[in-house]
Amino acid sequence: MTATHVAPTPARQTLPVVPLLALATAAFMAILTEALPAGVLPEMAADLRVSEAAAGQTLTVYAIATGVSAIPVMAATAAWHRRRLLLAAALTFAVANLVTAVSESYALTMVLRLAAGVAAAVVWAELVAYARRLAPPHLQGRAIAFTMAGVPLALSLGIPLGTFLGDLLGWRLTFGLVAAVSALLAIWIRASVPEFPGQKAGRREPILAALKLPGVVPVLFTVAAYVLAHNILYTYIATFLDANGMNARRETVLLVFGIASAVSIVVTGALVDRRLRVLTIASAGLFLVAAAALTVWADEPAPLFVAVVLWGLGWGGVPTLLQTAVNDAGGDRGQALLVTTWNSSMAAGGAAGGLMLALLGPASFPWGVLVLMAPVAAVVIGAKAHGFPARRPGADE
């Protein structure tokens, strides 16, 4: 067996597109694997002989596994070579999706979904650190944006395509195809992504100790409140639209949101290395304005679509902005905390939205966004020295 090649941090002055594209595809597959059951839920529930509500827990267990496992998995695998860890995650996606495609057992399917959620925690914990190590300091934000582009692409293109294939070919064959793509992704990672060493035992620091670093807590608060606000509205967007007489415009609303999010990703990628603070403030402001508009004009098509565009423009760059900020403040340990915070807030958003729906009705959703996003804007504006500084370390003027 030949010795493992460990690549040094590159001295290049351009972005290494091929390995970054492989990392973006890993992000794409993590999101697609998580959300694919949503598009084929009735058929999946029928074949597994459970209710649709029970089948819907295949998404819940994935998100919970990702959030809960991020910190312990990062600690347990700190000494591993990093490419091996990414390969293990991609292969876990392949196995989990393949077994799901042929499983007749609900319990077995849930176990595989849990395993895939843990693999997703590995992906989210590694992607940003890899992007930063592959790029020169002045392009690290752009490298993160490139890598995280897989998230909005999965949401706007991958999941609708998976739903279409599920209708055309059946849900089992669709999961089989996703398993095959995951296996090809593992081959791609092995061929194009350089190896990096793990941490030596004596150099490891407790992940939770990153909370003491200046800037980490403000960024994590922003993550928790922003993701919670977004998921309260996004999870129940169909219910919200139906309540305002816009049920015939669901697909169009989601398409417009996806396009606006994609535009935001492009703009963020171009500017994040030099304008992290301005972009984050603008993002919070756009979402606040969108929520305010939805409290008044959600039943009017033109204002509704303007609000959706503003929401998408605000949200699309958020993964890049907050991943960059937390890594600037807390490094790899901060990233592990972000993964846990992000996924916990996603799960909490669904639960909080359901409670608001039951107690206050769908009209309460944009008000909930306003309540959460106002302190987000205040924290981002206030964290000028640490967390969201005017100029990132290593960035060009």
Side-chain angles (χ1 to χ4, degrees):
M1 185 174 182
T2 58
T4 301
H5 171 65
V6 178
T9 301
R12 67 172 73 237
Q13 295 301 308
T14 59
L15 289 180
V17 173
V18 174
L20 288 176
L21 189 56
L23 297 177
T25 304
F28 183 97
M29 295 308 297
I31 292 291
L32 184 60
T33 298
E34 177 176 13
L36 185 58
V40 294
L41 208 59
E43 297 79 12
M44 194 174 181
D47 279 4
L48 294 175
R49 297 178 296 279
V50 297
S51 67
E52 290 187 23
Q57 300 314 302
T58 56
L59 285 85
T60 303
V61 73
Y62 188 108
I64 291 175
T66 302
V68 170
S69 66
I71 291 176
V73 166
M74 281 283 288
T77 60
W80 289 29
H81 288 305
R82 310 327 283 171
R83 185 177 63 190
R84 293 180 187 176
L85 197 54
L86 277 179
L87 284 172
L91 290 173
T92 299
F93 287 151
V95 172
N97 284 309
L98 180 60
V99 175
T100 298
V102 299
S103 172
E104 299 288 344
S105 166
Y106 176 72
L108 176 61
T109 299
M110 292 294 278
V111 169
L112 270 297
R113 294 290 295 173
L114 188 149
V118 174
V122 170
V123 169
W124 299 129
E126 289 300 314
L127 286 185
V128 173
Y130 243 111
R132 289 170 67 92
R133 295 175 82 169
L134 287 169
H138 69 286
L139 292 177
Q140 286 179 353
R142 193 170 300 177
I144 293 171
F146 195 111
T147 299
M148 297 308 296
V151 175
L153 287 176
L155 291 171
S156 60
L157 299 177
I159 294 170
L161 178 60
T163 303
F164 171 76
L165 291 175
D167 292 339
L168 183 66
L169 304 174
W171 74 271
R172 292 189 183 276
L173 185 54
T174 301
F175 270 92
L177 289 173
V178 174
V181 174
S182 299
L184 292 174
L185 171 62
I187 296 172
W188 187 4
I189 290 172
R190 179 64 181 84
S192 68
V193 176
E195 184 67 279
F196 289 113
Q199 296 179 2
K200 296 180 180 179
R203 296 176 55 195
R204 299 177 202 165
E205 298 180 8
I207 291 174
L208 291 177
L211 292 171
K212 299 178 181 179
L213 298 174
V216 170
V217 170
V219 176
L220 291 180
F221 172 82
T222 301
V223 171
Y226 205 136
V227 173
L228 180 61
H230 169 77
N231 279 278
I232 285 172
L233 185 57
Y234 190 79
T235 301
Y236 296 94
I237 187 62
T239 303
F240 181 75
L241 292 173
D242 290 356
N244 287 281
M246 297 290 172
N247 53 305
R249 292 182 166 88
R250 285 185 195 169
E251 292 80 4
T252 306
V253 165
L254 291 174
L255 177 61
V256 168
F257 178 81
I259 293 172
S261 296
V263 171
S264 179
I265 278 283
V266 174
V267 173
T268 300
L271 299 177
V272 64
D273 287 301
R274 293 172 288 114
R275 298 289 183 264
L276 172 65
R277 176 176 174 78
V278 172
L279 289 171
T280 309
I281 293 172
S283 170
L286 287 169
F287 198 10
L288 275 168
V289 173
L294 290 175
T295 64
V296 181
W297 294 303
D299 58 349
E300 296 289 337
L304 169 70
F305 279 105
V306 170
V308 169
V309 169
L310 295 177
W311 177 20
L313 291 174
W315 172 254
V318 165
T320 298
L321 295 171
L322 299 184
Q323 300 261 13
T324 302
V326 83
N327 273 272
D328 284 350
D332 291 351
R333 292 179 296 157
Q335 175 64 22
L337 292 171
L338 180 140
V339 173
T340 295
T341 303
W342 189 290
N343 285 278
S344 299
S345 298
M346 284 182 64
L355 189 62
M356 291 168 65
L357 178 62
L359 297 179
L360 302 171
S364 65
F365 296 150
W367 289 103
V369 172
L370 289 173
V371 169
L372 288 164
M373 290 303 299
V376 165
V379 167
V380 173
I381 291 170
K384 186 173 183 178
H386 303 287
F388 301 98
R391 184 175 181 272
R392 290 183 54 238
D396 289 340
E397 291 287 358

